[in-house]
Amino acid sequence: MIRIPLAAVIGLFLTSTYFLVAIFAPYIAPYGMAEIVGDVWEPMSIEHWLGTDNIGRDLLTRMIYGARTTIAVATFATLVSFVIGSVLGFTAAVFGGWVDQALSRFVDLIMSIPSLIFALVVLSVMPVTLPVLILVMGLLDSTRVYRLSRAVAVDIYVMDYVEAAKLRGEGRGWIIFRELLPNALSPLVAEMGLRFIFMVLTISTLSFLGLGVQPPNAEWGLIVKENKDGIVYGIGAALWPALSIATLAISVNLVADWVLTRTTSLKGGRE
Amino acid sequence: MSSVLTLIAQRVALGIVLLFFVSLLIFLGTLALPGDVAQTILGQSATPESLANLRASLGLDQPPLTRYLNWLAGIFQGDLGNALTNGRPIAESIGKRLGNTMFLAFWTAVIAVPLSILLGLLSVRYRNRWPDKLISSVTLTSISVPEFLLAYVMIFVFGVKLGWFPTISLPNDSMSLGQKLYSISLPILVLVMVILAHMMRMTRAAILNVMESAYIETAELKGIKQFTIIASHAMPNALSPIINVVMLNLAYLVVGVVVVEVVFTYPGLGSYLVDHVAKRDLPVVQAVGIIFAAIYIGLNILADVLSILTNPRLRHPK
Amino acid sequence: MSHIVDIRDLRIEATVRPPGEKSKQITIVDGVSYQIESGKVLGLIGESGAGKSTIGLAAMAYGRGSVEITGGEVLVKGTNILEGGVAALHELRGQTITYVAQSAAAAFNPAKQLMTQVTEAALAHGLMSKAEAEARAVSLFKQLGLPNPETIGSRYPHQVSGGQLQRVMTAMALCPKPELIIFDEPTTALDVTTQIDVLAAIKRAIRDTGVAAIYITHDLAVVAQISDDIMVLRHGKTVEYGTTDAIINHPKEDYTTALVNVRSIEHAEAEPTPEFLLQAQNITARYQGAEFDVLRDVSVEVARGQTLAIVGESGSGKSTLARVITGLLPAAQGALSFDGRTLSRDLAGRSREDLRELQMIYQMADVAMNPRQTVGTIIGRPLAFYFGLKGEEKRRRVQELLDLIEMGSGFMDRYPAELSGGQKQRVCIARALAADPKLIICDEVTSALDPLVAHGILKLLLKLQAEKGLAYLFITHDLAAVTAIADSIAVMYQGKLQRYGPKSQVLSPPFDDYTDLLLSSVPQMRLGWLEDVIETRKMESAGN
């Protein structure tokens, strides 16, 4: 019997709701994504729960499709950064020597430039499409995953049980998958939550700057950009994404916290 | 003492080497561009002759290494090249904007650094009680919202609904310092909130780490009063990690500034960069990119140097 | 009655917060009472987890972390300090009672000069002027035998050695002229030859100043040298409380008797044989990037079915020798042979048979087992790896091994974190046995264990040797363990072989100076041992 603390239940519920909305957006959204259904910035009503946007599209629909884009881009970029970062991080820790030196110095170099600035420089020469955005964000962020997984793996690699496996004559495969990985998993999973949130913030920031997702596609940061002029007239349409991003970030945080405390109680993860 | 100087010299030299490689990396970006700058300027319909002419006048017909060395040499002489969009020297446009950005960052730091250290101390003092929990949940929320959204929430609440502060920040030279500060009060508020959260949480962790050391227990068992323990035993040791925290967050400020400047249409380096990324004006992007990287690397070096200087083991070698 | 401290029916609780569960109160000390008269020394002794530090600190009404005194009375000079309030406690701490911690390296503030810290308590309580306090500190430095007593105060903690720092800490405790000092394992972190100097310095200081003391340790032989009364503790309760003479010479309780007799294993030395299983010839080694050799021209042999003990202090190169023999650190020069065949210096060049027949057990059983694997997996892996055993057959063999290490059934599916320290080390032994080896290298396998548990492990190793004809290379700094298990002994000092031969020969005079120092430094379970040793020693401790 697994007892889940209340905070984790709330986190799990909200996180899965967001992902379900993202996956089933076309079935949930009341109107078409770019369909103009009313006047500019209509207030909230029965027909338009959140009102309409700067050119008369249904704002709830835009938010739902926005969830789809934002969450998809963030998820894929997180996957890219984890696959590349953790494979290279483990490689550096296990092989050591010049492989480690070369990889680590290169990562130092990339990280000596603020990642948003780096992304802007790259996006000024690359076409701004979803695959490019995912790759650029994933690659830049993989440097952080690399540092974490290398540090975790190095810590484990000097443990006597790894030495015992080496003395037994075990191959690299056993050492990586049976000795390192099970012990590195819980910090990596918790970090995955944080990286995902960071990706959500990054993609919405890029879109807001006009350098991410392009209209007529919907994206939370883009929705802010489209509706920001309403703010000075007291129209809050641009603020809905603030609510959705903040709740998504906090609920993912709660889940990550729970995963971390649960897997670090050293009974091999069983209760 | 000489070993400390050696360490510092090494760290600075490393920073310079790093900056050199960063310049190389940023320059290599231009080579990744499908087509080239001339094509971008003239568009798809340009004739081969006009393309060739433009390439020659921009120096694009030379090999990449030569172009890189020319560019680098130019930077050392304060010549950042000309913008593609208006043909004017980049250095001229940047000068004023760099000053504006620094003005914003400076006043943010002046408010945020003492405040975050104070809040960090407070939450350590009342650890796990309500002031600590309140500070921690407020800062957690402000980390979870991107800067630009926080900015709009601030504009909406304080600028529009309450009408306390101006919603657009356009300071000019005819204003007094007070008027200037008033005009940028909202961007400062947003930036303070963004780095305050990080800085306060890291300060709290750094102080807690020191307070759990065995020598703090030694002092307690000597019957020393709580305040004296914090001031005379904890502080000297917490100084180095706190300085590090402050510097890292000031480096982080560089990123925050870019976005906040765009929101408030503030005439700084960040909004200049974003404008020209959208226009694909490469020479400007490269120039501003290298300036931001230099500031970022410089602050990181400063953090390391200060933490070397405050480490008793390095200051008093065996 | 002139009791400085009179503790009655003490009860101490702690709040524990296991991750993901509700926090709960646990009792860590229950029903403990003791008294200390002025000028007397009380020894508190027990295994880890006996609550001895907690009980000692209770005399200052101090609890670490979430530890709280929840019952009983702590009378200091007749006043119950649990009811006196915070201001009274500030008065008491650092003035009436002072404290000496186990790890001086951590207990000193790294950012402040030693003199500032030594005089701090005296100045904070307004007991003397700065000049008086500093003069007293210098005279205490002198008294405690510190080098350069006039100038050592201007140094920073990281600039002096561990043994010296521990003596500075004692000076710090003595400086405000307290009536009672609590010594919390002050010599545990030190090498054996350094420990004796610090112990002697502390004893002299107590005698000269007439201060009372509580001396906390896990080593009964140490506490016997210094205290007037001894209290034996276990699981937070008093086992036996009496004069030192009564506890050492006439223990009443079984547990106390076991502690007194813990060093009594007698292992008759086997006949020397020319039939060597392992030969290491003229080994010289250095670590990558180091500028000196950690091992210089070392030659040793392990006879089939016998035990060679390698003895030395930290930095003597004894663990490096183990790494060279296993191939983890390839020797720069020298040759290794095993069971009549040449052994590659490098791990990568060894056959699976080489690896199987030469197994290793580590000091810290905690980190020698993968925390995410069950005991069954840990012991079963060598069976699968070397012999290809699977399924039921493997399981049966694992159980046989568990029986062999006297653990029995019910452990197969447990994780290492669910085992006690002694059980963990036994599982590590079973893992080594699973490979059916001819030689097991034991690297400080008993050092991290409580004396009684270590005693059990030594007995098990001897039993296994008799049953299976195993040879051991037993690396340790603990001479008592050496006497208990070795057939031959190699004494190492600064990377070289200092003395080498059959046990009886190595342990009988005439000794060279270092071996004499090492042997004489091992605390013995008799009163007056310390005084005798200090009289007759030929050489100052190696650590200074």
Side-chain angles (χ1 to χ4, degrees):
Chain A
M1 176 61 191
I2 300 169
R3 290 187 40 124
I4 306 178
L6 182 66
V9 173
I10 296 173
L12 278 171
F13 176 74
L14 284 176
T15 308
S16 45
T17 308
Y18 272 111
F19 273 87
L20 288 175
V21 166
I23 293 167
F24 298 106
Y27 306 97
I28 300 169
Y31 302 94
M33 182 179 73
E35 194 185 344
I36 294 174
V37 293
D39 267 347
V40 172
W41 286 322
E42 278 183 27
M44 294 188 223
S45 64
I46 298 291
E47 292 84 49
H48 306 293
W49 288 3
L50 300 182
T52 60
D53 76 353
N54 63 325
I55 54 172
R57 293 170 294 192
D58 178 59
L59 197 55
L60 179 62
T61 306
R62 296 290 290 169
M63 286 295 295
I64 290 173
Y65 277 100
R68 188 183 176 86
T69 320
T70 306
I71 289 177
V73 171
T75 306
F76 287 118
T78 310
L79 286 180
V80 170
S81 82
F82 262 80
V83 169
I84 294 172
S86 57
V87 167
L88 292 183
F90 280 176
T91 307
V94 172
F95 285 80
W98 67 267
V99 178
D100 184 20
Q101 282 299 319
L103 283 170
S104 297
R105 293 296 80 76
F106 183 70
V107 165
D108 285 350
L109 175 62
I110 303 282
M111 291 186 82
S112 71
I113 311 172
S115 58
L116 182 70
I117 304 293
F118 204 118
L120 289 181
V121 171
V122 174
L123 289 175
S124 69
V125 295
M126 302 286 273
V128 182
T129 60
L130 287 189
V132 168
L133 282 173
I134 290 172
L135 267 178
V136 168
M137 286 166 50
L139 283 173
L140 281 180
D141 209 47
S142 68
T143 52
R144 288 163 200 276
V145 180
Y146 168 85
R147 278 210 182 156
L148 176 77
S149 50
R150 181 185 170 279
V152 169
V154 164
D155 276 355
I156 300 171
Y157 202 66
V158 297
M159 289 286 182
D160 287 345
Y161 59 81
V162 176
E163 189 179 298
K166 281 193 254 174
L167 285 181
R168 203 186 304 136
E170 301 279 6
R172 286 218 164 97
W174 174 277
I175 290 181
I176 292 178
F177 290 103
R178 302 303 296 274
E179 309 285 352
L180 285 186
L181 205 56
N183 290 290
L185 219 49
S186 73
L188 282 181
V189 168
E191 179 70 9
M192 198 180 248
L194 298 183
R195 297 322 324 152
F196 174 78
I197 295 168
F198 188 76
M199 292 296 188
V200 170
L201 301 190
T202 310
I203 184 61
S204 57
T205 301
L206 285 175
S207 300
F208 167 73
L209 295 177
L211 303 165
V213 177
Q214 301 297 321
N217 242 322
E219 198 281 339
W220 286 345
L222 187 62
I223 293 174
V224 180
K225 183 183 165 66
E226 290 166 347
N227 294 289
K228 65 179 169 37
D229 295 336
I231 298 253
V232 283
Y233 307 113
I235 295 164
L239 301 182
W240 287 109
L243 189 69
S244 57
I245 292 177
T247 46
L248 178 62
I250 290 171
S251 52
V252 171
N253 246 326
L254 293 175
V255 175
D257 271 358
W258 172 62
V259 168
L260 194 62
T261 49
R262 209 178 103 75
T263 49
T264 43
S265 66
L266 272 181
K267 289 180 188 165
R270 304 187 332 165
E271 311 254 334
Chain B
M1 204 56 203
S2 64
S3 72
V4 176
L5 285 180
T6 319
L7 267 176
I8 292 174
Q10 275 174 355
R11 189 64 194 80
V12 173
L14 189 71
I16 292 169
V17 171
L18 205 57
L19 198 55
F20 173 74
F21 276 102
V22 167
S23 74
L24 196 62
L25 207 61
I26 288 181
F27 184 79
L28 282 178
T30 46
L31 300 179
L33 182 69
D36 65 17
V37 177
Q39 186 93 54
T40 317
I41 296 173
L42 296 175
Q44 290 300 327
S45 56
T47 61
E49 294 82 44
S50 59
L51 272 178
N53 281 338
L54 186 60
R55 281 196 186 117
S57 72
L58 290 173
L60 291 179
D61 50 351
Q62 286 162 8
L65 184 67
T66 319
R67 271 155 57 199
Y68 172 66
L69 291 177
N70 286 342
W71 180 62
L72 205 60
I75 292 179
F76 278 113
Q77 292 156 12
D79 172 18
L80 298 169
N82 297 334
L84 295 182
T85 35
N86 57 10
R88 298 236 302 271
I90 298 169
E92 222 169 73
S93 323
I94 282 182
K96 179 91 179 112
R97 287 166 176 270
L98 184 61
N100 284 343
T101 297
M102 288 299 166
F103 183 69
L104 188 58
F106 173 77
W107 287 104
T108 304
V110 164
I111 298 174
V113 173
L115 193 60
S116 65
I117 292 175
L118 187 75
L119 286 178
L121 280 169
L122 260 184
S123 64
V124 169
R125 176 73 185 77
Y126 296 99
R127 175 156 47 130
N128 293 333
R129 308 232 298 271
W130 69 263
D132 181 27
K133 286 181 177 158
L134 181 73
I135 293 173
S136 134
S137 48
V138 169
T139 53
L140 184 68
T141 319
S142 75
I143 289 176
S144 308
V145 183
E147 296 93 352
F148 69 94
L149 268 173
L150 200 62
Y152 281 117
V153 174
M154 293 294 135
I155 291 179
F156 189 71
V157 176
F158 294 108
V160 179
K161 291 284 165 190
L162 297 172
W164 291 353
F165 303 114
T167 56
I168 291 184
S169 309
L170 283 170
N172 59 55
D173 291 336
S174 62
M175 292 176 171
S176 70
L177 182 64
Q179 286 170 319
K180 272 188 183 174
L181 284 180
Y182 179 68
S183 77
I184 61 166
S185 47
L186 271 182
I188 287 183
L189 185 65
V190 172
L191 284 171
V192 165
M193 283 187 72
V194 169
I195 64 165
L196 186 71
H198 284 107
M199 223 190 285
M200 175 266 148
R201 288 169 83 87
M202 287 156 83
T203 308
R204 175 182 186 274
I207 299 176
L208 269 187
N209 190 20
V210 169
M211 289 303 284
E212 274 159 13
S213 312
Y215 55 81
I216 298 295
E217 180 181 287
T218 308
E220 282 174 354
L221 289 174
K222 282 178 183 169
I224 311 292
K225 300 209 165 53
Q226 184 77 17
F227 180 78
T228 320
I229 290 179
I230 292 178
S232 114
H233 284 276
M235 259 330 205
N237 291 291
L239 211 55
S240 157
I242 289 178
I243 288 175
N244 236 311
V245 166
V246 168
M247 286 300 156
L248 286 179
N249 282 286
L250 291 186
Y252 184 79
L253 193 58
V254 171
V255 180
V257 154
V258 172
V259 181
V260 170
E261 282 181 7
V262 172
V263 173
F264 292 93
T265 56
Y266 180 78
L269 211 50
S271 54
Y272 185 62
L273 172 65
V274 172
D275 272 355
H276 288 79
V277 170
K279 292 175 187 160
R280 305 207 158 221
D281 190 336
L282 265 187
V284 174
V285 173
Q286 285 174 345
V288 180
I290 198 111
I291 290 175
F292 272 124
I295 296 173
Y296 192 78
I297 292 174
L299 285 168
N300 274 302
I301 295 175
L302 199 58
D304 285 359
V305 168
L306 287 172
S307 101
I308 291 170
L309 284 176
T310 47
N311 185 334
R313 275 166 212 276
L314 295 175
R315 260 191 312 158
H316 310 281
K318 282 195 181 192
Chain C
M1 291 281 270
S2 61
H3 289 151
I4 294 178
V5 169
D6 183 355
I7 287 183
R8 294 175 185 170
D9 200 24
L10 189 66
R11 182 183 172 84
I12 300 177
E13 290 178 46
T15 315
V16 286
R17 294 188 179 82
E21 286 171 46
K22 281 217 167 75
S23 59
K24 57 186 176 206
Q25 289 282 113
I26 51 164
T27 306
I28 51 176
V29 172
D30 192 17
V32 170
S33 307
Y34 61 84
Q35 297 83 35
I36 301 165
E37 284 174 45
S38 118
K40 296 284 183 193
V41 180
L42 168 70
L44 294 180
I45 175 141
E47 299 175 351
S48 49
K52 49 192 190 298
S53 289
T54 314
I55 291 169
L57 284 171
M60 297 167 93
Y62 186 85
R64 283 192 177 123
S66 67
V67 168
E68 235 182 319
I69 301 173
T70 52
E73 292 178 313
V74 178
L75 304 175
V76 176
K77 298 202 279 185
T79 317
N80 187 357
I81 58 170
L82 296 181
E83 293 165 353
V86 181
L89 283 182
H90 280 308
E91 278 297 295
L92 172 92
R93 293 174 184 164
Q95 181 170 353
T96 316
I97 306 181
T98 56
Y99 178 74
V100 176
Q102 172 173 357
S103 167
F108 274 104
N109 189 331
K112 293 170 102 75
Q113 292 178 329
L114 293 174
M115 182 57 87
T116 320
Q117 304 191 54
V118 168
T119 54
E120 185 180 17
L123 298 180
H125 293 287
L127 302 174
M128 42 190 105
S129 71
K130 188 154 187 270
E132 283 168 351
E134 287 181 359
R136 176 163 169 81
V138 169
S139 81
L140 286 168
F141 292 156
K142 237 178 247 161
Q143 195 178 1
L144 286 159
L146 282 161
N148 311 319
E150 265 81 24
T151 55
I152 197 170
S154 65
R155 312 194 115 215
Y156 285 83
H158 66 275
Q159 294 174 318
V160 302
S161 76
Q164 290 169 6
L165 210 51
Q166 206 68 50
R167 277 181 271 180
V168 176
M169 183 124 204
T170 307
M172 182 159 89
L174 284 164
C175 190
K177 299 183 178 167
E179 294 176 55
L180 175 75
I181 303 182
I182 300 168
F183 292 95
D184 193 353
E185 306 243 20
T187 64
T188 306
L190 303 174
D191 262 327
V192 65
T193 57
T194 317
Q195 157 170 306
I196 187 169
D197 285 335
V198 175
L199 203 59
I202 289 175
K203 178 155 187 166
R204 215 179 311 121
I206 290 176
R207 191 190 57 209
D208 295 352
T209 55
V211 69
I214 296 177
Y215 197 98
I216 300 163
T217 175
H218 66 279
D219 190 339
L220 190 54
V222 164
V223 86
Q225 308 311 318
I226 215 157
S227 45
D228 301 294
D229 294 320
I230 292 178
M231 174 181 269
V232 182
L233 294 158
R234 194 181 196 196
H235 306 318
K237 292 199 171 79
T238 309
V239 176
E240 198 168 344
Y241 181 26
T243 63
T244 301
D245 176 59
I247 298 282
I248 301 291
N249 297 325
H250 318 283
K252 289 196 197 71
E253 299 293 324
D254 292 346
Y255 181 70
T256 317
T257 317
L259 280 182
V260 172
N261 295 326
V262 74
R263 292 182 179 173
S264 60
I265 301 181
E266 281 299 326
H267 171 60
E269 176 183 322
E271 280 294 302
T273 155
E275 204 192 336
F276 294 129
L277 179 65
L278 175 86
Q279 275 182 292
Q281 281 164 336
N282 310 101
I283 299 289
T284 298
R286 68 166 63 186
Y287 285 103
Q288 217 176 8
E291 281 161 17
F292 59 95
D293 294 324
V294 264
L295 286 179
R296 279 172 293 169
D297 201 25
V298 175
S299 300
V300 290
E301 295 90 13
V302 184
R304 198 175 291 278
Q306 297 192 7
T307 304
L308 167 67
I310 312 254
V311 198
E313 296 181 86
S314 50
S316 64
K318 57 187 192 306
S319 288
T320 308
L321 185 58
R323 295 182 72 77
V324 166
I325 291 171
T326 55
L328 284 166
L329 177 72
Q333 286 162 43
L336 293 167
S337 74
F338 186 76
D339 208 10
R341 57 186 190 265
T342 311
L343 204 54
S344 161
R345 283 192 229 165
D346 190 354
L347 183 62
R350 296 192 180 176
S351 70
R352 193 172 272 215
E353 273 315 276
D354 292 339
L355 298 175
R356 182 183 66 74
E357 294 187 340
L358 202 162
Q359 290 289 313
M360 174 141 175
I361 314 174
Y362 295 85
Q363 172 173 11
M364 307 296 290
D366 271 323
V367 289
M369 291 185 286
N370 189 332
R372 305 270 168 200
Q373 293 176 355
T374 60
V375 169
T377 314
I378 289 168
I379 302 177
R381 180 59 190 169
L383 297 172
F385 186 77
Y386 293 123
F387 307 110
L389 294 193
K390 286 195 198 89
E392 195 45 47
E393 199 189 355
K394 184 168 90 176
R395 222 179 145 74
R396 205 180 56 242
R397 182 78 187 114
V398 170
Q399 188 55 56
E400 280 173 27
L401 287 163
L402 281 172
D403 292 338
L404 202 60
I405 55 164
E406 298 156 1
M407 297 244 307
S409 55
F411 286 96
M412 192 94 83
D413 296 315
R414 295 225 203 151
Y415 285 91
E418 299 169 277
L419 306 177
S420 72
Q423 287 169 336
K424 281 179 197 161
Q425 198 55 285
R426 279 166 194 260
V427 172
C428 287
I429 293 174
R431 174 174 64 185
L433 290 176
D436 199 15
K438 291 185 172 150
L439 172 70
I440 301 183
I441 299 176
C442 307
D443 189 1
E444 301 267 13
V445 291
T446 55
S447 312
L449 301 171
D450 282 317
L452 285 179
V453 181
H455 183 89
I457 295 287
L458 286 178
K459 280 211 308 214
L460 176 67
L461 287 173
L462 284 170
K463 185 192 90 172
L464 292 171
Q465 184 168 52
E467 283 174 14
K468 305 202 158 257
L470 288 168
Y472 296 129
L473 184 76
F474 194 90
I475 295 164
T476 186
H477 70 273
D478 178 4
L479 275 149
V482 171
T483 347
I485 197 165
D487 297 301
S488 49
I489 299 176
V491 179
M492 290 193 65
Y493 181 51
Q494 295 179 346
K496 283 194 286 200
L497 218 50
Q498 183 76 19
R499 193 173 166 92
Y500 176 48
K503 176 164 72 175
S504 53
Q505 206 178 311
V506 169
L507 297 184
S508 15
F511 297 118
D512 58 285
D513 288 358
Y514 178 71
T515 308
D516 175 66
L517 171 71
L518 193 63
L519 292 178
S520 65
S521 300
V522 181
Q524 290 176 16
M525 200 73 74
R526 68 181 166 84
L527 307 187
W529 161 79
L530 185 60
E531 286 79 357
D532 297 353
V533 174
I534 298 294
E535 294 284 307
T536 56
R537 261 192 336 167
K538 294 187 205 160
M539 179 175 158
E540 276 289 310
S541 80
N544 290 316

